[in-house]
Amino acid sequence: MNQKNMHEKSWTWHWALNNKLVSALLATLLVLLIIFMAYKVQFIFAPILSLFSAVGAPIIVAGVFYYLMNPMVDWLERKHHVHRIITITVQFVVLALLIVLGVIAVIPWAREQTGELMHNWPKYWVAVSDVIERITKDDNFQALNKWIDSTNLSLMNAFEQFSKGGSQNIFSIFGTVTSIGITLVTFPLILFYLLKDGHDLPGYMAHFLPRRMQGSFKETLTEINSQISNYIRGQLSVALAVAIMFAIGYTIIDLPYGWLIAIAAGFLNLIPFLGSFLAMIPAIVVAIFVSPMMLVYVLIVFVIEQTLEGKVIAPKLLGNSLRIHPVTVVVILLSAGNMFGIMGVIFGIPGYAALKVLIFRLYKWWQNVSNLYDDEQKIDIASDVQE
């Protein structure tokens, strides 16, 4: 009788462990349990978060420049046997000259243009509100009129509070300038060692793992690095192209603050799908204040830019490396923006790409060590992971 019970229990456990639904539920339960325990002991991660908040900006800036500069360093070393130190030194000299040029010429101009635009913005916004109010005087648009009035009041209060901030605004600006200064001083050192020794980092990290896991670990890091580097280089290239196209278009139609709005459009284009439309808001507001024909010209420029970006620029520079569905992108932007603010919006997509690689690798390992899939299914899933 005992042997029969033991046999039944053994068969039950064997069935449970080899059932797809039960295994999936157990894996989900384990992940939720880990998340719950991490939430309960989040005080342990507080020092790590504090450390990252202090050094995060220089590391992020250095990482972005690393992905932009490293391909040339690797190419010259591999094709022409140029020592990495020489290439890095030349790149640093060029980067330093560009930074000095920006500090001397671009930053004062941008500060002056931004100050004028912020000074005139309430006047522009009131003019736009008057136009919308004249269009929507019908009773059906009362809710929209109330929203416009409340927005105008909020903007006026915000500008008034900022102008009366006094010492608080000065300290806030001083803190921001200090943070930017520290970043500019420290990120070149981090960038130098990333360019010099970054290619050895996966091998160094793999030495801490068992030998049989080192190959898979290096492959995972290589795939993550490829995903992130392709995205960052492509996105920055597209952003630069967008800024140039808007600058040319706004110069042709003689839009006030055109170059400043074009540069802002380039930065905002780092936010996928939504950036270009957000960048159109100041252009439309200024155009409505100037004249109705200027609004038509701005819309024409926007249509031409979107057509060139969507049909020519983005496919050539970005390609389809991440293969993320647009709905998934929107969900990522909303979620990451809600949790981490503007940094989450900017880095949510590459973070998702890295997490996607890790999840697929983990799933591939699980389907190989479990007995839930036959060999044909394993080959199909493995090919899907590679795609």
Side-chain angles (χ1 to χ4, degrees):
M1 189 69 176
N2 291 334
Q3 291 182 352
K4 183 178 180 181
N5 291 337
M6 291 178 60
H7 177 73
E8 290 178 353
K9 291 180 178 179
S10 175
W11 180 87
T12 303
W13 278 106
H14 179 77
W15 174 85
L17 293 176
N18 288 276
N19 183 274
K20 294 182 180 181
L21 177 61
V22 175
S23 299
L25 291 176
L26 289 175
T28 304
L29 180 62
L30 180 60
V31 171
L32 293 176
L33 182 61
I34 293 173
I35 295 174
F36 175 75
M37 293 304 298
Y39 174 76
K40 287 297 183 182
V41 296
Q42 58 181 328
F43 62 89
I44 297 177
F45 305 104
I48 300 177
L49 294 176
S50 299
L51 177 64
F52 182 78
S53 63
V55 301
I59 292 176
I60 291 174
V61 174
V64 171
F65 277 97
Y66 167 78
Y67 285 119
L68 292 176
M69 299 166 63
N70 188 62
M72 179 177 290
V73 177
D74 288 341
W75 182 76
L76 289 176
E77 183 182 36
R78 183 175 61 255
K79 294 291 184 179
H80 302 283
H81 306 287
V82 179
H83 198 277
R84 299 182 70 89
I85 299 295
I86 297 175
T87 308
I88 294 170
T89 303
V90 174
Q91 288 181 329
F92 266 59
V93 171
V94 174
L95 181 62
L97 291 176
L98 291 176
I99 292 176
V100 170
L101 178 63
V103 171
I104 295 176
V106 178
I107 291 180
W109 169 83
R111 182 180 59 189
E112 180 182 356
Q113 290 284 298
T114 304
E116 292 182 8
L117 180 60
M118 294 299 291
H119 177 73
N120 294 324
W121 184 258
K123 181 171 58 177
Y124 292 154
W125 185 258
V126 169
V128 173
S129 301
D130 292 339
V131 172
I132 297 176
E133 188 175 356
R134 286 197 300 269
I135 297 174
T136 61
K137 278 189 174 180
D138 191 272
D139 294 336
N140 296 325
F141 294 95
Q142 289 301 314
L144 180 59
N145 290 331
K146 291 181 180 179
W147 177 81
I148 292 174
D149 293 338
S150 63
T151 304
N152 289 337
L153 183 61
S154 300
L155 285 173
M156 293 301 180
N157 291 335
F159 280 105
E160 184 178 355
Q161 291 295 327
F162 183 82
S163 62
K164 292 181 178 179
S167 60
Q168 292 183 357
N169 290 329
I170 293 175
F171 284 119
S172 177
I173 295 173
F174 178 77
T176 303
V177 172
T178 302
S179 178
I180 294 174
I182 293 174
T183 300
L184 290 177
V185 171
T186 56
F187 97 86
L189 182 64
I190 301 173
L191 176 61
F192 175 81
Y193 284 104
L194 279 177
L195 292 171
K196 179 177 177 292
D197 302 321
H199 59 289
D200 297 327
L201 187 60
Y204 174 77
M205 296 174 63
H207 281 307
F208 294 97
L209 299 174
R211 187 175 298 275
R212 61 187 179 86
M213 298 177 61
Q214 291 181 5
S216 177
F217 180 77
K218 290 180 182 179
E219 291 178 2
T220 302
L221 286 185
T222 301
E223 189 173 350
I224 292 175
N225 180 69
S226 176
Q227 293 271 352
I228 296 178
S229 62
N230 289 337
Y231 177 81
I232 289 179
R233 286 197 293 266
Q235 200 70 27
L236 288 175
S237 301
V238 172
L240 178 61
V242 167
I244 293 173
M245 287 189 292
F246 272 126
I248 294 173
Y250 292 156
T251 301
I252 293 174
I253 65 176
D254 198 22
L255 178 70
Y257 312 107
W259 276 74
L260 180 64
I261 298 174
I263 294 173
F267 281 106
L268 288 172
N269 199 76
L270 296 175
I271 305 174
F273 294 107
L274 303 178
S276 296
F277 293 97
L278 293 175
M280 284 301 297
I281 295 176
I284 290 175
V285 171
V286 174
I288 291 177
F289 180 80
V290 175
S291 68
M293 275 309 297
M294 181 61 71
L295 176 61
V296 175
Y297 293 151
V298 166
L299 293 178
I300 292 174
V301 170
F302 179 69
V303 171
I304 295 175
E305 184 277 330
Q306 284 292 295
T307 303
L308 291 176
E309 179 186 353
K311 301 296 183 180
V312 181
I313 304 297
K316 293 292 183 182
L317 298 179
L318 272 180
N320 198 24
S321 57
L322 295 184
R323 299 186 180 182
I324 302 177
H325 195 276
V327 176
T328 305
V329 173
V330 173
V331 172
I332 294 170
L333 294 177
L334 293 176
S335 303
N338 185 52
M339 290 186 291
F340 305 107
I342 185 64
M343 299 303 294
V345 172
I346 295 175
F347 295 101
I349 303 299
Y352 168 82
L355 186 62
K356 180 181 177 182
V357 172
L358 291 175
I359 292 176
F360 270 128
R361 289 279 179 174
L362 180 61
Y363 182 69
K364 184 179 179 182
W365 168 82
W366 176 67
Q367 54 118 12
N368 283 328
V369 299
S370 66
N371 296 322
L372 303 178
Y373 301 90
D374 54 32
D375 293 336
E376 185 176 353
Q377 286 178 305
K378 290 179 181 180
I379 292 174
D380 291 339
I381 295 175
S383 63
D384 290 339
V385 173
Q386 293 299 324
E387 291 179 1

